[in-house]
Amino acid sequence: MAGKRGNQTVRGMIQSMAVICAFAGVIYFFIPHDDSLDPTRTVDYSVELTTARRAAPYPVAAPAGLPAGWKPTSVTFRRGEGHAWHIGFLDPDGQYVAVEQSTEPPRKYVPRVTQQAALTERTQQVGGETWQRWEGPKYDALVRTGEGSTTVVTGTASYERLAQMAAALESESGASPSPVPSAS
């Protein structure tokens, strides 16, 4: 009798799983979905940029005039953490690029925002300014210190893309923001 009851339990579980899988399949096929859509959610960073430019003791940098294909994906301003400004993008190749700024000492700040990148002996000229190259296991970076803050352009993108972002940066302090790409 115990063997028969055990077989009924296993059979009941199999039947229940079959009903659940059939129900899930029906939902999947009849609920509209489009796998060709880009799942990346873009953000409008104009409010945070205005706030940062009014509150930060340094000229806050944000890109202006980036070519099509750059998608803003994240933005923060943390006054209590060295007036830290962050704006993240996906470049046209789908690689991550972030602009980071802070009044925190560069020796602590840069390794943290670059995921432990290290300073190299190389520099790169971007828009007439010299940027230090940092290389890391996850992120590479271009770093410039001055005007009361450290500016870091970092991410998984190539140095060419990092330089493209660095060249697009415009700094303002307490002014109205540059035009911001629409969240499309």
Side-chain angles (χ1 to χ4, degrees):
M1 179 104 170
K4 192 173 186 181
R5 179 177 281 199
N7 286 339
Q8 289 176 343
T9 304
V10 171
R11 186 172 8 139
M13 285 191 322
I14 291 172
Q15 290 172 341
S16 296
M17 286 300 292
V19 169
I20 290 170
C21 288
F23 185 68
V26 167
I27 289 174
Y28 179 78
F29 285 113
F30 289 106
I31 302 286
H33 56 280
D34 187 355
D35 293 336
S36 67
L37 294 177
D38 184 359
T40 305
R41 186 183 70 101
T42 59
V43 297
D44 178 359
Y45 56 89
S46 59
V47 172
E48 287 85 354
L49 180 58
T50 301
T51 300
R53 285 184 169 165
R54 288 182 181 156
Y58 58 85
V60 173
L66 281 174
W70 288 81
K71 297 175 185 173
T73 59
S74 60
V75 61
T76 57
F77 177 69
R78 293 187 178 98
R79 186 183 306 215
E81 296 176 22
H83 293 88
W85 165 248
H86 157 87
I87 185 165
F89 286 82
L90 287 182
D91 75 3
D93 301 322
Q95 295 297 311
Y96 181 67
V97 176
V99 176
E100 310 279 357
Q101 278 186 291
S102 178
T103 58
E104 190 176 331
R107 70 181 180 282
K108 289 173 28 180
Y109 181 67
V110 177
R112 183 166 43 83
V113 297
T114 61
Q115 306 284 323
Q116 304 307 315
L119 179 61
T120 68
E121 297 293 322
R122 291 178 294 198
T123 60
Q124 184 166 341
Q125 290 295 314
V126 178
E129 297 184 3
T130 302
W131 292 72
Q132 298 172 327
R133 277 190 171 203
W134 289 59
E135 292 181 1
K138 185 171 182 177
Y139 292 169
D140 292 328
L142 295 174
V143 178
R144 189 183 75 214
T145 303
E147 300 185 51
S149 68
T150 299
T151 303
V152 181
V153 179
T154 186
T156 59
S158 66
Y159 277 110
E160 180 182 334
R161 289 289 193 200
L162 297 178
Q164 189 176 12
M165 174 61 79
L169 293 179
E170 291 186 359
S171 298
E172 295 181 24
S173 183
S176 7
S178 304
V180 176
S182 65
S184 53

